[in-house]
Amino acid sequence: MWPLYAAGFTTAFGAHGIAANLGGFSGDAVTSLLVLGGLLALYDGAEILLKPVFGTLADRVGPRPVLLGGLVAFALASVVYVVADGPAWLWAARLGQGAAASAFSPSASALVARLNPAAKRGRAFGSYGFYKSIGYTLGPLLGGVLVWAGGLRLLFAVLAVLGAAVAVWAAVSVPVVPPMAKVRQTLVDLVRRLADPRFLVPTGALAGATAALSAGVGFLPVSGRVDGLGPIATGAAVSLLAACAAVVQPRTGRALDEGRLETRTGLTAGLVVAAAGAACAMLPGLAGLLTGAALIGVGTGVITPLGFAALAANTPAERLGQTMGAAEIGREFGDAGGPLLVAAIASVATLTYGFGALAALLLAGALLVAARPRG
């Protein structure tokens, strides 16, 4: 399992480590806010388009080859910018990294499900989410140190070494998981399965969690600055959010495996807690900022392992890659939709109303999950 946790860390660290430092340390490539937005969207855009494709491929040939190929491709894409420094090569490297992450991320999730019995999947996905959260937390901080020491090329070089090392580790340690014989699937079968509430409910909850997380990371510092708080306080809020999400996930997965937590109850509670965090972010001052960050982190940490464990439990083993890839699309839309919702409301009112709209949306999601019948 450790190489799979390392793969989750790699995609999170690569995504946030570079994104957090593009605007301040790549003046030759980032010539406007529009260009910066394009570079930031390139990674996620590649994932939205390609994750279902690679998830389906993992079902067809087995998840291990797709995992290894994606990690090797991630290392090679990172080397591109190290060898050929230039604005055009930065776009190419970022696109290549996003495409490679689209391969090894859903494959790693499918392997987490395939290599663990149903009774241990909650804990396994909780640990996977923990190390992914560590990557999100360390990405901006450690990435900033690397860029300060040697520029963006040093950060890309470290990512190349990291991707190659995890690929070798996975090749040595992760067992071969052959593709399973499956019944022929038509387009109607696929649509019916993806429209099933057993897929839509956990995927929707995961999208809500990601929306809250992304909006919190992006706008809590802005809210703090409006209240006159300095960068140390706002940075502490973002770190608190990520730390709470990381710590809660393994404990939630363990509670699910031991029968102390039911999926529907946990998803509902997680959305309510995240909604309470967004509501607390409406309050002025440091107390509202830190309370909002902590609650958003806890809510996200509860939802993530429960959502993925529910998807794995309700998906035929031969379709795990496809399902995980499709569920990741929901998370990507939440990742983009949360900040867009808050920004749209804030542009016509204030940031307080933006967080209020996010809280209302999360609470509505909680009510929908709670209304579903058990099972």
Side-chain angles (χ1 to χ4, degrees):
M1 293 299 297
W2 284 104
L4 302 180
Y5 299 155
F9 173 87
T10 299
T11 183
F13 181 78
H16 280 207
I18 294 177
N21 293 284
L22 278 174
F25 297 95
S26 55
D28 59 331
V30 180
T31 55
S32 68
L33 290 176
L34 183 61
V35 172
L36 176 59
L39 279 169
L40 292 175
L42 199 60
Y43 192 99
D44 292 331
E47 290 190 308
I48 288 174
L49 292 174
L50 295 177
K51 273 185 175 179
V53 175
F54 284 116
T56 302
L57 180 64
D59 291 333
R60 188 180 301 274
V61 303
R64 186 174 181 271
V66 181
L67 172 78
L68 298 179
L71 288 166
V72 171
F74 186 87
L76 294 175
S78 302
V79 168
V80 166
Y81 187 68
V82 177
V83 175
D85 183 7
W89 292 109
L90 178 60
W91 285 82
R94 198 64 178 149
L95 178 61
Q97 286 181 330
S102 304
F104 71 77
S105 182
S107 300
S109 298
L111 281 164
V112 170
R114 290 283 300 274
L115 294 176
N116 288 276
K120 294 184 178 180
R121 282 178 181 165
R123 190 176 307 180
F125 277 112
S127 298
Y128 181 73
F130 171 82
Y131 288 103
K132 210 166 184 178
S133 295
I134 295 297
Y136 287 133
T137 304
L138 290 182
L141 177 62
L142 185 55
V145 172
L146 292 171
V147 170
W148 172 80
L152 269 179
R153 295 177 74 179
L154 177 59
L155 177 54
F156 273 90
V158 170
L159 290 173
V161 174
L162 178 62
V166 175
V168 173
W169 191 7
V172 172
S173 301
V174 176
V176 175
V177 179
M180 301 184 69
K182 51 182 175 284
V183 179
R184 181 176 175 272
Q185 175 182 251
T186 66
L187 181 60
V188 174
D189 294 331
L190 174 61
V191 172
R192 185 182 296 116
R193 187 160 57 82
L194 297 185
D196 191 312
R198 291 176 296 178
F199 173 83
L200 290 179
V201 169
T203 301
L206 287 168
T210 310
L213 178 66
S214 183
V217 170
F219 289 103
L220 283 176
V222 178
S223 180
R225 286 196 296 271
V226 170
D227 292 334
L229 301 175
I232 294 179
T234 57
V238 174
S239 298
L240 178 64
L241 189 158
C244 288
V247 169
V248 167
Q249 290 190 60
R251 289 167 171 77
T252 301
R254 190 177 302 115
L256 175 67
D257 292 340
E258 294 173 355
R260 293 183 286 111
L261 181 63
E262 185 192 36
T263 300
R264 187 185 66 166
T265 302
L267 292 178
T268 303
L271 287 167
V272 169
V273 172
C280 287
M282 301 169 65
L283 303 175
L286 183 61
L289 183 73
L290 295 179
T291 304
L295 290 176
I296 289 174
V298 170
T300 302
V302 170
I303 293 167
T304 302
L306 295 179
F308 279 114
L311 289 169
N314 292 301
T315 300
E318 67 271 14
R319 304 292 183 193
L320 275 172
Q322 186 180 72
T323 296
M324 294 302 176
E328 290 282 359
I329 296 299
R331 296 188 77 200
E332 295 295 340
F333 278 115
D335 196 15
L340 283 175
L341 172 67
V342 174
I345 301 297
S347 65
V348 297
T350 64
L351 191 55
T352 299
Y353 288 99
F355 278 118
L358 178 63
L361 181 65
L362 293 171
L363 189 58
L367 293 175
L368 289 174
V369 174
R372 292 296 309 166
R374 291 183 182 276

